[in-house]
Amino acid sequence: MSRANSPQPTPFEASPCLVESSGWSLPSLSYSAERLKLAKGKMTQKFLFVLICLSALTLTWSLASHATSNGLLKINLKKKPLDLNNIKAARLAKEVGKYDGGSWESHRLGDSDADAVPLKNYLDAQYFGEIGIGSPPQNFTVIFDTGSSNLWVPSSKCYFSVACYFHSKYKASRSSTYTKIGKSCEIDYGSGSISGFFSQDNVEVGDLIIKDQVFIEATQEGSLSFIFAKFDGILGLGFQEISVGNVVPVWYNMVEQGLVSEPVFSFWLNREPEAEEGGEIIFGGVDPKHFKGKHTYVPVTEKGYWQIEMGDFLVGDQSTGFCEAGCAAIVDSGTSLLAGPTTVVTEINHAIGAEGIVSMECKEVISQYGELIWEILTAGVKPDKVCSQVGLCFSDGAQFVSTNIETVVEKQRNEGSSISNELLCVACEMAIVWFQNQLRQNKTKEIVFQYVNELCDSIPSPDGESVIDCNSVASMPNVSFTIGDTIFNLTPEQYILKIGEGDLTVCLSGFIAVDVPPPRGPLWILGDVFMGVYHTVFDFGNLQVGFAEAA
C-alpha cells in the first residue's frame, strides 16, 4: 500500500487528503490467466486451482476478547488466507532525520497499564482482529498495520462498491458519541484504493477506549482485493507524518490519553497455522514468554514508517554485496512477505530454485554486451558508468532499476515494439551488480557468465512473485539480514509459504521484487515472514525498533 503526507508526493500524500500513487509500488501480485501461461504446465494449473479454492474460502472462526488477571486484554484475531491480490504496496517515508534511544527491556507483561491483543493465524498470510467504533461499539475486523497511520472502515453510506456488501459497515446514527466532520479523502493502495470522508467517534481496542478518534468512513473500495479480504478495514500504527489529512493516529491518542503507561508496543506472530492463538500485540509493553534472549535495537531513520537501516544481505554464507553500505528497510506488519530490489531477489530466486519468467532482454544484454561489460569493469571503470559507456543507458549512472521490469514478450504484445532501450538499460544495471558480486569472489570469466545467464532465468515475473518446487525446500540455503551488529537468519521453512494440501500444495518464495530508486531506495520491506520469526518491539518513545528470536 502507499501512504501520504504533505510537501513532496509520497505514496500517501494529498491536498488536503486526496492520495495518489507516486508511480512506484509493490506489485499487486494477481495471477491472471495470461501470466499463468508463462509458468510451467502442471505447476501453473495446480497453482491456479489452489488460488481459486482459497478465494472461495470463508472463515467462520469466532472472535473473542477477554481481560487477563494482570490487566492485559486479549482480542482473538483472524488471519487472512494467502491471496496475492491483497499483498500491499511498498511505502515511502518522509525524510525527517535520525533518532537514537535506549531499550524497553524493562517493561514487561505484568505492568498494569499494558494492553495485549491476541492474534489468530490463518495460512501465515495476514493478521487481523476486532475493534469497536462508537457507543455502543460497532465491531470491525482490521489489519493492525505498522506501515500506515490511518484508521478506516466501510461506511453505511457505501452504496456502489461490491466490497462494502461483504463487510461490516459503520452507522453513525447508531452512536451517541459520533461527531460529524465530513471532509472527503482518498487513499490509493498498490492493490486498490478506498475513498470516503472523515468522522469522529470513540474507538475501542480491547479494554481501551480511545475518545474522539478521527477515522475514515470508506464509501468506495475500488478493487477486487477488498471483496475477497477477510478484514473490514485497517488500523495504522505508523507515525503521524504519513497520516492522510494529518489525522492523529489511534496509537498517538492511546499514549496522549494516558491509556498505556509506556509508549511502546510489540508484536508476536505465531507462524503455526493450526495453533488456536495466532499471535499477540502488546500495547504498552512486551511479553517475555514470546521471545528468547535480548532484543537488538536500531534507531528509526525515517520518522513516518518504522524505517531502519539494514546492513549486508547474505544468501547461504555468501554476501550479495548489495547492502554492504546500508539499505533502508521498513518493518511492516501489514505486508505478508519480504520485498526487496529485483536485483537481489533474483539472486535469491536463483539460489533457492524459484521460477520467474525468462527475461529475454537480460539475455540480450549478456550475449551482445557481456564481453564489453567485462572488459570495462575489469579495467577499473566505475560500475555506475558502465551501462552508459556501452550505450545502453543515457543518464551516465543516474538511471536506476525501473519500477516496472517488463519482459520482451509483454512489451511486444502490449506495444508491438522490439526491445526498448529502457529495458536494455534496466537489464544492464542488474547485470553490473551480478558481475561485481562474482568478481569480488574471484570467479573466472566463464563461471561469471554462466552464473549471470542463469540469473536472467530467475528474474521474477512482472508482478514480482515466484514459485518453487516444494520437494527442494530441505536443500535450500538460509537467507540472512544484518541489522545492527546481529545476523538474522531465515531458514527455508521460514521464508517459503505453502498453499494447499497434498497434490495441490504449491510453494511460494517469501521474497517478492520491488524497486525504489535512490535517493530513497533501494528499499526493503520486512513483513510478516520476518516478523513471524523475530519478535518485534516498536519503541515509540525512543524512536527505535527491536528484534529478538520469537519463542
Side-chain angles (χ1 to χ4, degrees):
M1 293 183 185
S2 310
R3 323 286 160 168
N5 204 10
S6 43
Q8 296 179 345
T10 63
F12 258 41
E13 289 177 352
S15 179
C17 66
L18 173 65
V19 187
E20 297 178 351
S21 170
S22 65
W24 66 269
S25 66
L26 191 111
S28 59
L29 304 191
S30 60
Y31 266 89
S32 65
E34 188 67 27
R35 290 193 181 104
L36 284 168
K37 290 178 183 177
L38 297 173
K40 291 187 177 180
K42 290 183 179 179
M43 177 65 76
T44 298
Q45 296 171 4
K46 183 167 61 173
F47 188 49
L48 179 60
F49 180 79
V50 172
L51 285 180
I52 293 173
C53 291
L54 286 174
S55 296
L57 283 177
T58 56
L59 301 182
T60 58
W61 293 348
S62 62
L63 293 169
S65 64
H66 59 279
T68 62
S69 58
N70 57 9
L72 295 178
L73 183 87
K74 295 185 177 181
I75 302 174
N76 290 335
L77 303 178
K78 297 178 181 178
K79 189 179 176 197
K80 180 191 167 301
L82 182 59
D83 181 346
L84 299 182
N85 285 312
N86 289 308
I87 297 175
K88 300 186 314 181
R91 65 282 283 180
L92 193 60
K94 215 178 138 182
E95 295 182 6
V96 178
K98 294 187 177 181
Y99 301 85
D100 297 292
S103 170
W104 279 110
E105 294 295 341
S106 61
H107 193 74
R108 298 302 185 186
L109 179 65
D111 294 328
S112 59
D113 291 329
D115 191 66
V117 179
L119 305 172
K120 187 78 79 175
N121 175 9
Y122 186 71
L123 291 182
D124 289 340
Q126 211 161 61
Y127 296 82
F128 54 101
E130 189 174 277
I131 64 168
I133 301 179
S135 304
Q138 301 169 40
N139 294 331
F140 301 91
T141 56
V142 295
I143 298 290
F144 286 87
D145 179 21
T146 59
S148 67
S149 299
N150 289 87
L151 167 62
W152 69 264
V153 295
S155 172
S156 61
K157 297 180 180 179
C158 181
Y159 304 119
F160 303 109
S161 292
V162 176
C164 289
Y165 292 94
F166 289 86
H167 297 96
S168 299
K169 295 182 285 292
Y170 172 78
K171 299 176 179 64
S173 61
R174 296 185 180 179
S175 175
S176 62
T177 49
Y178 163 75
T179 300
K180 181 179 179 180
I181 297 178
K183 182 181 293 185
S184 62
C185 112
E186 180 177 340
I187 303 176
D188 183 22
Y189 297 106
S191 54
S193 63
I194 65 102
S195 60
F197 56 90
F198 289 118
S199 291
Q200 180 176 294
D201 209 333
N202 292 348
V203 173
E204 184 177 302
V205 180
D207 276 343
L208 305 181
I209 297 178
I210 301 94
K211 295 183 178 180
D212 302 324
Q213 175 66 47
V214 177
F215 66 101
I216 298 171
E217 289 192 52
T219 55
Q220 291 187 12
E221 299 183 26
S223 171
L224 286 175
S225 301
F226 295 117
I227 296 177
F228 293 116
K230 304 304 178 185
F231 57 90
D232 300 316
I234 292 174
L235 192 156
L237 293 170
F239 292 88
Q240 188 171 355
E241 278 78 0
I242 57 169
S243 174
V244 174
N246 199 36
V247 169
V248 178
V250 173
W251 166 244
Y252 279 53
N253 280 328
M254 281 188 189
V255 176
E256 291 170 6
Q257 294 178 20
L259 301 178
V260 292
S261 61
E262 302 290 353
V264 58
F265 61 91
S266 57
F267 271 79
W268 169 67
L269 304 181
N270 191 343
R271 301 299 280 179
E272 298 180 13
E274 303 301 323
E276 182 177 351
E277 185 180 23
E280 191 172 72
I281 307 171
I282 305 281
F283 289 107
V286 297
D287 185 345
K289 75 179 182 183
H290 289 322
F291 64 89
K292 303 174 183 177
K294 292 186 176 181
H295 289 82
T296 295
Y297 283 91
V298 289
V300 171
T301 57
E302 297 288 347
K303 189 182 176 185
Y305 311 98
W306 289 92
Q307 184 168 323
I308 62 173
E309 184 84 357
M310 189 175 74
D312 199 7
F313 185 87
L314 297 87
V315 179
D317 57 355
Q318 293 292 326
S319 168
T320 62
F322 195 79
C323 289
E324 286 182 329
C327 287
I330 291 171
V331 188
D332 185 2
S333 63
T335 293
S336 302
L337 308 181
L338 274 158
T342 299
T343 306
V344 185
V345 171
T346 298
E347 290 199 49
I348 297 171
N349 285 345
H350 176 264
I352 68 178
E355 298 177 356
I357 295 176
V358 177
S359 178
M360 294 174 61
E361 66 270 23
C362 181
K363 287 184 173 290
E364 179 83 3
V365 167
I366 303 306
S367 64
Q368 294 192 18
Y369 300 93
E371 292 287 342
L372 182 56
I373 290 173
W374 176 270
E375 291 178 7
I376 293 176
L377 274 178
T378 54
V381 174
K382 290 185 177 180
D384 62 357
K385 298 185 180 297
V386 173
C387 293
S388 60
Q389 290 199 12
V390 300
L392 293 177
C393 296
F394 302 99
S395 55
D396 195 28
Q399 171 74 36
F400 293 91
V401 175
S402 168
T403 60
N404 293 299
I405 296 177
E406 301 177 80
T407 64
V408 172
V409 174
E410 285 197 336
K411 195 75 174 178
Q412 290 176 331
R413 181 176 67 244
N414 295 333
E415 301 179 5
S417 63
S418 59
I419 299 174
S420 69
N421 287 332
E422 179 185 358
L423 297 180
L424 289 175
C425 177
V426 167
C428 179
E429 289 169 345
M430 289 195 294
I432 294 300
V433 176
W434 299 334
F435 271 115
Q436 283 183 275
N437 187 29
Q438 294 296 292
L439 283 171
R440 277 195 292 266
Q441 300 177 38
N442 297 318
K443 298 293 181 64
T444 65
K445 179 180 177 180
E446 290 73 19
I447 292 177
V448 171
F449 271 70
Q450 179 182 354
Y451 176 72
V452 173
N453 267 299
E454 291 173 354
L455 288 181
C456 286
D457 292 339
S458 298
I459 292 176
S461 64
D463 275 343
E465 68 284 338
S466 298
V467 296
I468 66 164
D469 180 1
C470 294
N471 295 323
S472 63
V473 172
S475 61
M476 293 177 186
N478 289 346
V479 176
S480 306
F481 298 84
T482 305
I483 301 175
D485 297 325
T486 305
I487 300 294
F488 293 87
N489 293 312
L490 295 179
T491 66
E493 291 77 13
Q494 292 168 338
Y495 65 71
I496 296 300
L497 282 78
K498 292 185 178 182
I499 309 173
E501 296 179 356
D503 292 338
L504 291 178
T505 300
V506 173
C507 291
L508 283 180
S509 169
F511 296 90
I512 50 178
V514 56
D515 294 293
V516 183
R520 291 171 172 140
L523 182 69
W524 285 86
I525 301 175
L526 305 180
D528 294 343
V529 168
F530 185 85
M531 291 178 63
V533 180
Y534 294 101
H535 179 270
T536 308
V537 177
F538 296 87
D539 185 344
F540 183 74
N542 288 314
L543 291 173
Q544 61 181 359
V545 182
F547 305 98
E549 182 182 354

